[in-house]
Amino acid sequence: MKKRSFSGIQPTGNIHIGNYLGAIKYWVAMQENYDNIFCIVDLHAITVPQDPQVLKAKTRELAGLLLASGIDQRRSILFVQSHVHEHAELAWILNCIIPMGWMQRMTQFKEKSAKQKQLVSVGLFDYPALMAADILLYRTEVVPVGEDQKQHVELTRDTAQRFNSLYGETFVLPEPLIPEIGARIMGLDDPTKKMSKSENAPNHAINLLDPPDVIRGKVMRATTDSLKEIRFDENRPGINNLLTIYQAFTGESRETIEARFAGKGYSDLKKSLAEVVIEGLRPVQERYRSLTADPAGIDAILEDGANRARPIARKMLGEVKARMGLG
Ligand code: ATP
Ligand code: LTN
C-alpha cells in the first residue's frame, strides 16, 4: 500500500518558479511512490476578493499547467475544491473545535492581512481550518508543500489530534514533506521576501509561462550585492537565491556549481541561469500550449477527478458526523 499524499494550490495570480520548484516539481516526482491527490483550491482563493471570470479562467489555466508539468490524471486525482462540497462542510465542523488562540498564531494571516488593502475577511483568518479539512478528508499521511505552509500542516495535525481525543480515533495525523532544495525561492527584486503570486512588482517572479526574453530580462535585473565571489551563502540572499534556482533546475551539486563559476562575474552566472530556466520551462510551456488547445478536455479531466475524490470525502465526513451526533 502506497502512502496517501494530498496537496493544494490556489488558482490566483501567475504560477511562478517558486511554486514549481517548491511544490509542483516534487508532486510530479511523487507520483511513483505515493497515492496522490492534488487539489486546485478555489475556496481558498476567495478568502481575498476575486473577479469571478478571472477566477474561472485561472482555475483552468492552473489545471493546464499542472498537467503540462507532468501531473498524470491516470495515476493521480486532480480536482477543484469547490466541486466537492464536503470540504466546506468539514471546515465548518473543524472551526468549532479549533481554539481561537491557535489561529491567532498563524504567521501567514498576519502577513496577508497586513497587505490586504480592501476587506480582511473572516475567511482569510479561518483559511487554515479549510486547509485542515482538505487534508483530513482523505486520510492523508504526507503533505508536500513549500516551507511557508509548514505551520498550517502542524495546525492540521493538532486539530486531528484534538478531534480524536474528543470523539475517538477518526483522523490520520499528517506530516509535512518539505523539499531540501527549492522550498523557499525568494523574490528576484527583493531576495529577503519569498517569491509570491500576490506580489505585483514587475521583476518579482519568473512565471511559468514567461517567454524566453522576459525570463532573460528578469534574471539580468535580479538584485544581488556588491561583492564578487559566487558561492552559496545564506548571508548573501541575492546570490544565494540565484544559485538555489540554478541548483533546483539542473540537479547539480553545490560544489559543481561553485566550481563552474569560480573566477567568473555575476553577469556570467545570470546569463547562464537564464538559459537554464528557459530550457527547464520549455517542455512545460510546449505541453501547456497543446493541452489548452482543448479546454473541454481539461474540464473533463477535472470532472473525472472530482468524481473520484467525492466518495472518499463523503465517507470520511459521514464518519465525522456520526461521531458528533450530526446528520
Ligand atoms: P500567494 O503569495 O498568493 O499566497 P503562493 O505563491 O504562496 O501564493 P500558493 O498557491 O499559496 O502560492 O502555493 C502553492 C505551493 O507553492 C505551496 O506548496 C507553497 O508552499 C509553494 N510555494 C509558494 N511560494 C513558494 C516559494 N517562494 N518557494 C517555494 N515554494 C513556494
Ligand atoms: N494553503 C496552501 C494551499 C492549500 C493546501 C491545502 C496545501 C490549500 N489546501 C492542503 C496542502 C494541503 C497554500 O497557500 N499554498
Side-chain angles (χ1 to χ4, degrees), residues 71 158 172 191 230-231 266 302:
I71 299 296
D158 292 343
V172 171
I230 298 182
R231 68 180 159 79
Y266 286 177
L302 294 175

Side-chain angles (χ1 to χ4, degrees), residues 18 27 83 95 110-111 115 125 129 160 207-208 222 229 265 269 318:
W27 298 359
H83 296 182
N95 268 325
K110 291 181 201 163
E111 284 162 18
K115 271 201 262 171
F125 178 67
N207 300 321
L208 248 50
E229 204 188 346
L269 168 65

Side-chain angles (χ1 to χ4, degrees), residues 133-201:
D134 298 342
I135 295 169
L136 298 178
L137 272 177
Y138 299 94
R139 303 188 182 279
T140 303
E141 293 164 275
V142 296
V143 185
V145 281
E147 179 69 39
D148 61 316
Q149 295 301 312
K150 189 167 170 228
Q151 197 184 30
H152 291 160
V153 180
E154 280 160 3
L155 182 132
T156 302
R157 209 180 148 81
D158 292 343
T159 304
Q161 220 151 14
R162 187 173 165 87
F163 188 98
N164 290 353
S165 69
L166 289 170
Y167 298 103
E169 279 306 307
T170 311
F171 292 128
V172 171
L173 306 189
E175 302 266 6
L177 193 66
I178 296 171
E180 270 171 36
I181 300 160
R184 197 169 169 79
I185 300 295
M186 310 308 278
L188 295 184
D189 57 339
D190 178 355
T192 62
K193 280 201 214 145
K194 120 179 155 105
M195 188 177 282
S196 155
K197 287 194 227 124
S198 39
E199 203 66 54
N200 290 325

Side-chain angles (χ1 to χ4, degrees), residues 7-24 27 41 48 62 108 112 115 127 144-150 179 182-187 193-199 204:
S7 201
I9 181 163
Q10 303 187 67
T12 49
N14 293 315
I15 304 297
H16 51 71
I17 58 168
N19 303 127
Y20 182 71
L21 299 175
I24 300 170
W27 298 359
V41 293
V48 297
L62 178 54
Q108 181 175 291
K112 285 202 173 177
K115 271 201 262 171
Y127 180 114
V145 281
E147 179 69 39
D148 61 316
Q149 295 301 312
K150 189 167 170 228
R184 197 169 169 79
I185 300 295
M186 310 308 278
K193 280 201 214 145
K194 120 179 155 105
M195 188 177 282
S196 155
K197 287 194 227 124
S198 39
E199 203 66 54
H204 173 74

